[in-house]
Amino acid sequence: MNDSEARGAAQQVDVVVIGAGQAGLSSAYHLRRTGFDPDRDFVVLDQSPRPGGAWQFRWPTLTYGKVHGMHALPGMELTSADSSRPSSEVIGAYFDSYERTFDLRVRRPVDVRAVREGEGGRLLVETSAGNWSTRALINATGTWDRPFWPRYPGQETFRGRQLHTAQYRGPQEFTGLRVIVVGGGASGTQHLMEIAPHAAATSWVTRRPPVFREEPFDENVGRAAVALVEERVRQGLPPRSVVSVTGLPLNDAIRQARADGVLDRLPMFDRITPDGVEWDDGRRVDADVILWATGFRAAIDHLAPLRLRGPGGGIRMEGTRVAADPRLHLVGYGPSASTVGANRAGRAAVRDIRQLLVREPVDVAA
């Protein structure tokens, strides 16, 4: 099929939402609430096999009680959740109920392969389930599909196992093994505290010394952190996570792990050897496993045909809107990557899109 045939076969809608995690469902809710009808005016495409966004892939030992700052979706609270159940089950069931309650009609599994310029000022969304021609696009694909693996000399020579947080399934598989955890974020500390009682030995390696936050994470701290990330994307720089500028909350479990030596941090090693890692000063640590808790990058490769990235390596943003193209909104990107940020971003994106499509202004306050 040539380009003109593909465009001719495309289903036409006003808005395509890509992704049905927190940001995508928030956007769909606000579209529905302000007069857009699913299937006729907008469509939500999700590549996952079932509701739950990235949460459905989290490791079973990440119970709901361990989740930091899960904010309810707009219009429907998450109540009576069992804190001892896996977060994947709790949040998956919640998202499923949300989709049905608001009749969002998410289509899945649908793999979005590319978004490119279409005809008549529209965008062409090419997918595994056919093509859509749309006047506006809300991209809410998150980061889970793009785990970041740093590269270090000798990495390919390591005789043990290397895995990323995205592949982590719990501490039992590390019983009796020597484990190096790389990464200074919340996932790295959680992995260490879970693995330490099972492993023969654990080591913690980070690029920068971790910052533990004694004071409560209140609204002012949150706003300041979001502002720092927002300034980066406004300048067209790759976003940093909000967590990277807030530090780690110092709770009782972390205090105990520090006292026990589990969270004794080592600086980043200089090379990987067949048997472990080494530093230029002669220090070495032998290991059977290297667990990379090194975060994720925005999953936006399908937007590559639009050539949105600037000289700084990121996409210059104005709020949720791509500065160079008002048809495009990235929600759950940069400053809106937190769950509460994703809710607000969905509302803001819909407000802008209504104005773009020359509809009557409607109050979209939650």
Side-chain angles (χ1 to χ4, degrees), residues 241-253:
S241 69
V242 173
V243 172
S244 72
V245 294
T246 61
L248 296 164
L250 191 56
N251 55 34
D252 290 342

Side-chain angles (χ1 to χ4, degrees), residues 57-60 62 144 147-149 161-170 173-174 181-192 195 290-296:
F57 305 114
R58 306 285 176 161
W59 51 99
L62 181 62
W144 186 259
F148 174 61
W149 293 74
R161 180 188 178 195
Q162 296 186 61
L163 73 158
H164 190 276
T165 289
Q167 301 161 306
Y168 180 79
R169 286 293 169 264
E173 58 186 315
F174 304 103
V181 176
V182 182
S187 294
T189 57
Q190 288 173 359
H191 295 337
L192 278 160
I195 292 169
I290 301 175
L291 172 53
W292 299 92
T294 44
F296 300 80

Side-chain angles (χ1 to χ4, degrees), residues 90-154:
V90 172
I91 298 173
Y94 171 53
F95 281 19
D96 181 48
S97 177
Y98 191 87
E99 291 179 17
R100 288 185 285 105
T101 298
F102 296 107
D103 190 26
L104 300 180
R105 305 183 201 177
V106 178
R107 302 188 185 206
R108 62 168 60 88
V110 176
D111 179 30
V112 176
R113 294 165 175 164
V115 179
R116 63 182 77 252
E117 196 64 46
E119 293 180 345
R122 287 174 168 265
L123 294 165
L124 181 66
V125 182
E126 300 174 353
T127 85
S128 59
N131 300 333
W132 275 267
S133 171
T134 184
R135 298 171 69 193
L137 181 107
I138 297 176
N139 191 82
T141 47
T143 62
W144 186 259
D145 296 320
R146 283 204 62 201
F148 174 61
W149 293 74
R151 301 301 302 171
Y152 281 88

